[in-house]
Amino acid sequence: MTDLSVASTAKRTTFDVEAVRRDFPILSQQVNGKPLVYLDNGASAQKPEAVLNAMDRYYREMHSNVHRGAHTLGDRATAAFEGARETVRNFLNAESTREIIWTRGTTEAINLVANGLAPRLKAGDEILVSHMEHHANIVPWQMIAERTGAKVVPVQVTPDGELDLESFTSLLNEKTRVLAITHVSNVLGTVNPVAALIEQAKAHGIITLVDGAQAVPHYQPDVQSLGCDFYVFSSHKLFGPTGIGVLYGKAQLLEEIPPYQGGGEMIERVSFERTTWNTLPYKFEAGTPAIAEAVGLGAAIEYLNGLDRPAMEAAEAALLERANQLVEMVPGMKIIGTAKRKVPVMSFKIAGLHPSDIGTLLDQQGIAIRTGHHCAMPLMDFYGVPGTARASFAFYNTLDEVDTLFTALQKVQRLFA
Ligand SMILES: Cc1ncc(COP(=O)(O)O)c(C=O)c1O
């Protein structure tokens, strides 16, 4: 077995990862007879006890429908639900809770914006995305393009997985109406310079949307300093429950665009002659919302607020650095995505091995990674691969787990060599 002793050279931080791990009950189990090593955080992250307790308490003590004002439980549920909205506002540094819309997740948020902007688009207009987008930030725009005659134009990516800034600048023109760009790539881990891109786009009067799904688990974005018109993310990747996500939008734009779905809550007055819309944010929240999930997301953010953010980011950087150091231990292993600024996401291939075989063999050793196209087929085409294996780390992962992954990869490689 190749020596993995470079561990001693990896940076250790003051971040108490063992204490943090105790907050996540799911992590302490065995899978296939081995301690679980959960490295599929990019797909969905695990939930701390604080989130589980908040949702449990909500259902035990305060559940009722919200905004009805009919009785005490309704008031409690509304206070918890709107309290969570304020927590999200604070997390994003949005100006007002009117700008925080609950959605089912990133995907629904992008569909909402794309549909809302459709009336502004006409034949020949251009919607700029990038070659590294998740399908959730491609397909809704393609559907709107089909309806309006607009065109979806991809900004190129460089071979090492950076956004090609020359391509970006050269594609901006008087026909560009929308820039929809990911903050962080789910495949490459690349952190895009979104503030600079938005600044350039704004100079052309372009509406900007940032897909923050993979950014928020690692960084706290400030929507006011970013200057974007829309910022979207999913709760389940941010250590909160599934079924809920967030659309931040500048109030003025949200006022202007039409509602996405019709029904209860989103109306001011309904008649067969004329129906009018509720005020923000409710205009975009048709039907009974995911109340317990909002409470859970609020609890997840409060939990993160209680951690030492700089120490947490340093611990994550150490995980990536450690993984990068160990790559050479596995013959034929190649990282896809080596941008200068990355979150701890490692997509890779191993010569002669199919990604799904790597995933299956790791699972037998208790290690959960993701394999496949990661909902980024255009990017797979760019790299000429059908898919990759991807280990995506969270702050609760340890340097020992990185070592365990590489020891297991060595075994897998030897088995097939
Ligand atoms: C960058 C990015 N955007 C959008 C999504 C879609 O998120 P959801 O399925 O939670 O709507 C994902 C999920 O993996 C993602 O990584």
Side-chain angles (χ1 to χ4, degrees), residues 42 105-107 134 136 182 184 186 211 213-214 234 236-237:
T106 306
T107 303
H134 187 282
T182 197
V184 167
N186 64 317
D211 174 353
Q214 295 291 339
S234 299
H236 69 99
K237 295 182 199 285

Coordinates of all heavy atoms in Angstrom, one line a residue, residues 42 105-107 134 136 182 184 186 211 213-214 234 236-237, ligand 1:
G42 N -22.6 17.7 -2.3 CA -23.0 18.5 -3.4 C -24.4 18.2 -3.9 O -25.2 19.0 -4.4
G105 N -37.3 25.0 -4.5 CA -35.8 24.8 -4.5 C -35.2 25.7 -5.6 O -35.9 26.6 -6.2
T106 N -34.0 25.5 -5.9 CA -33.3 26.3 -7.0 C -34.0 26.1 -8.3 O -34.2 27.1 -9.0 CB -31.8 25.7 -7.1 OG1 -31.2 25.8 -5.8 CG2 -31.0 26.6 -8.1
T107 N -34.4 24.9 -8.6 CA -35.0 24.6 -10.0 C -36.3 25.5 -10.1 O -36.5 26.1 -11.1 CB -35.3 23.1 -10.1 OG1 -34.1 22.4 -9.9 CG2 -35.9 22.8 -11.4
H134 N -25.6 23.8 -14.3 CA -26.5 22.7 -14.1 C -27.7 22.8 -15.0 O -28.1 23.9 -15.4 CB -27.0 22.8 -12.6 CG -27.7 21.7 -12.1 ND1 -29.1 21.5 -12.3 CD2 -27.4 20.6 -11.2 CE1 -29.5 20.4 -11.7 NE2 -28.5 19.9 -11.0
A136 N -30.6 22.8 -14.5 CA -31.6 23.7 -13.9 C -31.5 25.1 -14.3 O -32.4 25.9 -14.3 CB -31.6 23.6 -12.4
T182 N -23.9 30.4 -12.8 CA -23.8 29.7 -11.5 C -22.6 30.4 -10.7 O -21.6 30.8 -11.3 CB -23.5 28.2 -11.7 OG1 -23.7 27.6 -10.4 CG2 -22.1 27.9 -12.2
V184 N -21.1 28.8 -8.2 CA -20.1 27.7 -8.0 C -20.5 26.6 -8.9 O -21.7 26.2 -8.8 CB -20.0 27.3 -6.5 CG1 -19.2 26.0 -6.4 CG2 -19.3 28.4 -5.7
N186 N -21.2 22.8 -9.8 CA -21.4 21.6 -9.1 C -20.5 20.5 -9.5 O -20.3 19.5 -8.7 CB -22.9 21.1 -9.2 CG -23.3 20.7 -10.6 OD1 -22.9 21.4 -11.5 ND2 -24.0 19.6 -10.7
D211 N -27.1 31.5 -9.7 CA -27.5 30.2 -9.2 C -26.5 29.9 -8.0 O -25.4 29.5 -8.2 CB -27.4 29.1 -10.3 CG -27.7 27.7 -9.7 OD1 -27.7 27.6 -8.5 OD2 -27.7 26.8 -10.5
A213 N -26.8 27.6 -5.7 CA -27.1 26.3 -5.0 C -25.8 25.7 -4.4 O -25.9 25.1 -3.3 CB -27.7 25.3 -6.1
Q214 N -24.7 25.8 -5.1 CA -23.5 25.1 -4.6 C -22.6 26.1 -3.9 O -21.5 25.7 -3.4 CB -22.7 24.6 -5.8 CG -23.4 23.4 -6.5 CD -23.4 22.1 -5.7 OE1 -22.7 22.0 -4.7 NE2 -24.4 21.3 -6.0
S234 N -31.1 26.2 -2.8 CA -32.0 25.2 -2.3 C -31.6 24.9 -0.8 O -30.4 24.9 -0.5 CB -31.8 23.8 -3.0 OG -32.1 24.0 -4.4
H236 N -31.9 22.1 0.9 CA -31.3 20.8 1.2 C -29.8 20.7 1.0 O -29.2 19.8 1.6 CB -32.0 19.7 0.4 CG -31.8 19.7 -1.0 ND1 -30.8 18.8 -1.6 CD2 -32.3 20.4 -2.0 CE1 -30.8 19.1 -2.9 NE2 -31.7 20.0 -3.2
K237 N -29.3 21.6 0.3 CA -27.8 21.6 0.1 C -27.2 22.4 1.2 O -26.0 22.4 1.4 CB -27.4 22.1 -1.3 CG -27.9 21.2 -2.4 CD -27.4 21.8 -3.7 CE -28.2 21.2 -4.9 NZ -27.8 19.8 -5.3
Ligands
LIG1 C1 -25.5 24.4 -9.4 C2 -26.8 23.8 -9.2 N1 -27.9 24.4 -9.6 C3 -29.2 23.9 -9.5 C4 -29.3 22.7 -8.9 C5 -30.7 22.2 -8.7 O1 -31.1 22.2 -7.4 P1 -32.5 21.5 -6.9 O2 -32.5 20.2 -7.5 O3 -32.4 21.5 -5.4 O4 -33.6 22.4 -7.4 C6 -28.2 22.0 -8.4 C7 -28.4 20.7 -7.8 O5 -27.5 19.9 -7.8 C8 -27.0 22.6 -8.6 O6 -25.9 21.9 -8.2

